[in-house]
């Protein structure tokens, strides 16, 4: 796995690079600016880009803009965005364009090495890793959607974990239920959100994006 890192805090940037290299991963470049990381992506053609949300010169959304641009240039690039706190509009701006190979984590997860590496590997493998706190805040905002109000509390739990990027087995383990129970809840979620098997879409992705998009409109 070839990785590039964009983080303007030099201590965090180098610490993250050391952590990943200690795990046997190939950090091919680091940068302190969004432009620098785009150049590195063009030069090194990495598998994964890890980017901070707030970077120079304005320290607002440079990381998100760079992530979107990086995916435009290389649609197969996995992107993991790090943020110091939940920034809902930035999270949905990134995710509403598609969730394959995308992650959005709070920086505090980096200190939880096992969780962070699990999220990184999930994103690199084409999956999704959204911080539980981001999901919780987006889900709270999106509950005003009438279709989402059809969901039971347990179904909302399952949909929230789907949005984090967990598969059925991991959801079952987290909720301490059987795989069959998770499968049943997901079928019910699809039905209540009017997602038909005949639709030419990935219903799992559509279910997640439905409430992420609703949350984005309400921010």
């Amino acid at each position: 796995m070839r990785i590039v890192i964009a983080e303007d805090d030099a201590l965090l940037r180098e610490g993250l690079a050391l952590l990943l290299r200690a795990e046997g991963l190939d950090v091919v470049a680091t940068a302190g600016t969004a432009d620098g990381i785009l150049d590195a992506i063009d030069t090194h053609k990495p598998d994964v880009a890890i980017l901070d949300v707030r970077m120079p010169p304005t320290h607002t959304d440079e990381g998100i803009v760079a992530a979107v641009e990086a995916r435009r240039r290389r649609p197969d690039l996995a992107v993991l965005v790090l943020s110091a706190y939940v920034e809902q509009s930035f999270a949905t701006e990134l995710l509403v364009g598609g969730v394959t190979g995308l992650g959005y984590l709070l920086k505090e997860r980096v200190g939880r090495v096992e969780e962070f590496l699990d999220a990184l590997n999930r994103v690199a493998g084409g999956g999704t890793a959204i911080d539980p706190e981001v999901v919780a805040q987006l889900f709270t905002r999106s509950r005003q959607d009438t279709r989402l109000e059809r969901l039971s509390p347990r179904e909302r739990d399952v949909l929230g974990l789907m949005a984090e990027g967990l598969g059925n087995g991991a959801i079952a383990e987290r909720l301490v239920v059987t795989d069959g129970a998770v499968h049943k809840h997901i079928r019910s979620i699809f039905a209540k959100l009017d997602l038909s098997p005949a639709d030419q879409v990935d219903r799992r992705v559509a279910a997640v994006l439905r409430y992420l998009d609703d949350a984005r409109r309400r921010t």
Side-chain angles (χ1 to χ4, degrees):
M1 187 191 306
R2 293 164 55 80
I3 301 170
V4 295
I5 300 170
E7 166 61 59
D8 65 310
D9 183 321
L11 185 60
L12 179 56
R13 182 174 68 243
E14 296 310 314
L16 184 55
L18 285 172
L19 167 66
L20 296 176
R21 286 168 176 149
E23 293 294 327
L25 302 175
D26 187 10
V27 178
V28 296
T30 64
T33 66
D35 288 343
I37 204 63
L38 289 174
D39 290 342
I41 289 169
D42 289 340
T43 300
H44 297 282
K45 297 179 173 52
D47 303 301
V48 185
I50 301 174
L51 302 96
D52 184 18
V53 168
R54 296 179 179 270
M55 300 184 70
T58 69
H59 294 279
T60 54
D61 63 349
E62 282 86 355
I64 291 292
V65 171
V68 172
E69 173 61 18
R71 293 273 285 194
R72 186 192 68 78
R73 297 182 187 185
R74 295 193 59 217
D76 61 339
L77 177 68
V79 173
L80 179 58
V81 174
L82 303 178
S83 179
Y85 49 89
V86 178
E87 302 183 74
Q88 295 167 339
S89 61
F90 293 162
T92 49
E93 180 182 348
L94 177 68
L95 295 166
V96 81
V99 297
T100 302
L102 283 175
Y104 188 102
L105 297 181
L106 295 181
K107 287 184 177 180
E108 65 186 48
R109 301 286 169 194
V110 177
R112 303 172 190 177
V113 176
E114 187 174 341
E115 288 184 33
F116 175 69
L117 293 175
D118 176 69
L120 178 62
N121 284 312
R122 197 187 312 159
V123 169
T128 308
I130 307 177
D131 196 283
E133 185 61 26
V134 175
V135 171
Q137 292 201 28
L138 292 174
F139 196 77
T140 297
R141 283 178 172 265
S142 65
R143 286 179 61 182
Q144 297 179 39
D145 185 294
T146 57
R147 289 166 301 193
L148 292 167
E149 288 178 351
R150 302 172 190 171
L151 303 184
S152 70
R154 178 60 83 183
E155 288 164 353
R156 287 197 292 270
D157 291 341
V158 171
L159 181 55
L161 293 173
M162 287 166 61
E164 288 180 36
L166 300 186
N168 289 11
I171 293 173
E173 183 177 349
R174 182 78 65 87
L175 297 178
V176 195
V177 298
T178 65
D179 286 2
V182 171
H183 186 66
K184 180 179 178 181
H185 287 313
I186 291 175
R187 285 204 314 269
S188 179
I189 289 168
F190 291 159
K192 291 179 179 179
L193 296 184
D194 301 322
L195 296 171
S196 167
D199 295 337
Q200 298 301 306
V201 297
D202 183 324
R203 291 190 295 167
R204 195 180 188 95
V205 171
V208 169
L209 288 181
R210 182 155 293 178
Y211 83 79
L212 289 177
D213 188 47
D214 182 72
R216 178 181 59 83
R217 292 196 303 269
R218 296 174 188 278
T219 55

